[in-house]
Amino acid sequence: MGVKLAMDTYWNHNTAFHDELITDAKLRGGRVLDIGCGDGLLLQRLAPFVQQVIGIDPDNTAIELAQTRLAAIENVVLMNGDFLALSAPYQEERYATVICVATLHHMDLRSALQQMRQVLAPGGRLLIIGLADDKSLMDLVVSGLVLLPIRIMDRFHGGASNPNVRITAPKETIKEIRQVAQEILPGARVRRRFYFRYSLSWDKPLE
């Protein structure tokens, strides 16, 4: 039953952003790294449009599901491990697009952004869809205002499906994320998004 579920497509607050991530990555083609690839749904959808897709995830079960989903796709590489503990030669590899969906809050923010910058090719783009903590009154007000519209959209899509994934509460607010991002990724654009998410995009300068 678990394998069947892995082969299906589904909708949730993360996959809601897949179309825009795929559209963006198609502009550059090349090699794409998906950090926290889970069961490989985004890799599956990206594969026809780029040279190669590489997924990394520390969860053994997620990688097994991804292997089942992607078994017939040739331009896919899967790695079972911690992105922050990448060993050579993977540390030296470079990617035209680096994508991270609902995974950054599982890692140390500063270390993860530094590593993402390192593996991104000059002229490449980093695309993050993340979760932030609500600490300030403004954070709580914004989240409260979108709660009803999000519930309506969930019902419209037949409910949000959540495969078996590790759940970790975000630690940093969107303001704190912006501050760290500007230190490590000057010019990065961080925006509040629907479904209690934010997006971060950054283009690495040509060297």
Side-chain angles (χ1 to χ4, degrees):
M1 184 67 175
V3 171
K4 180 181 184 299
L5 289 174
M7 300 302 294
D8 292 339
T9 59
Y10 51 85
W11 182 91
N12 60 30
H13 295 169
N14 297 324
T15 66
F17 294 94
H18 279 190
D19 285 345
E20 72 174 70
L21 295 171
I22 294 165
T23 299
D24 200 313
K26 284 167 60 176
L27 299 175
R28 286 169 301 283
R31 302 173 71 239
V32 178
L33 174 65
D34 181 9
I35 301 167
C37 65
D39 68 4
L41 178 59
L42 180 56
L43 296 175
Q44 181 184 32
R45 299 187 65 195
L46 275 167
F49 306 109
V50 299
Q51 177 187 351
Q52 187 181 44
V53 288
I54 299 91
I56 182 169
D57 200 292
D59 186 85
N60 295 335
T61 300
I63 289 295
E64 290 175 1
L65 293 172
Q67 289 170 338
T68 300
R69 178 187 291 279
L70 304 168
I73 302 177
E74 295 183 354
N75 62 333
V76 175
V77 175
L78 293 171
M79 295 183 285
N80 186 190
D82 181 355
F83 172 67
L84 294 182
L86 280 177
S87 58
Y90 297 112
Q91 282 185 338
E92 286 73 40
E93 294 193 17
R94 298 294 179 268
Y95 304 92
T97 306
V98 174
I99 295 175
C100 183
V101 179
T103 300
L104 182 56
H105 66 287
H106 290 275
M107 302 180 283
D108 176 75
L109 175 63
R110 187 176 297 274
S111 299
L113 292 182
Q114 289 171 338
Q115 180 97 323
M116 291 176 193
R117 176 180 179 132
Q118 178 180 338
V119 301
L120 192 64
R125 178 170 292 175
L126 172 62
L127 298 169
I128 295 173
I129 301 295
L131 288 77
D133 193 11
D134 291 334
K135 295 180 182 177
S136 71
L137 178 59
M138 178 60 71
D139 293 332
L140 294 170
V141 169
V142 171
S143 292
L145 288 173
V146 298
L147 180 59
L148 180 57
I150 288 175
R151 286 183 174 174
I152 292 172
M153 290 303 294
D154 287 347
R155 290 180 63 87
F156 175 78
H157 287 282
S161 174
N162 294 294
N164 293 327
V165 295
R166 292 187 302 152
I167 303 298
T168 300
K171 300 179 292 295
E172 295 90 5
T173 65
I174 193 167
K175 179 179 180 180
E176 292 167 336
I177 292 165
R178 280 197 182 103
Q179 290 173 338
V180 176
Q182 288 304 319
E183 292 176 23
I184 299 171
L185 312 169
R189 185 183 185 193
V190 180
R191 297 186 294 147
R192 289 186 188 273
R193 302 294 299 273
F194 206 51
Y195 300 120
F196 307 115
R197 301 295 189 264
Y198 69 87
S199 63
L200 184 157
S201 62
W202 180 71
D203 295 322
K204 187 171 185 176
L206 291 170
E207 298 172 350

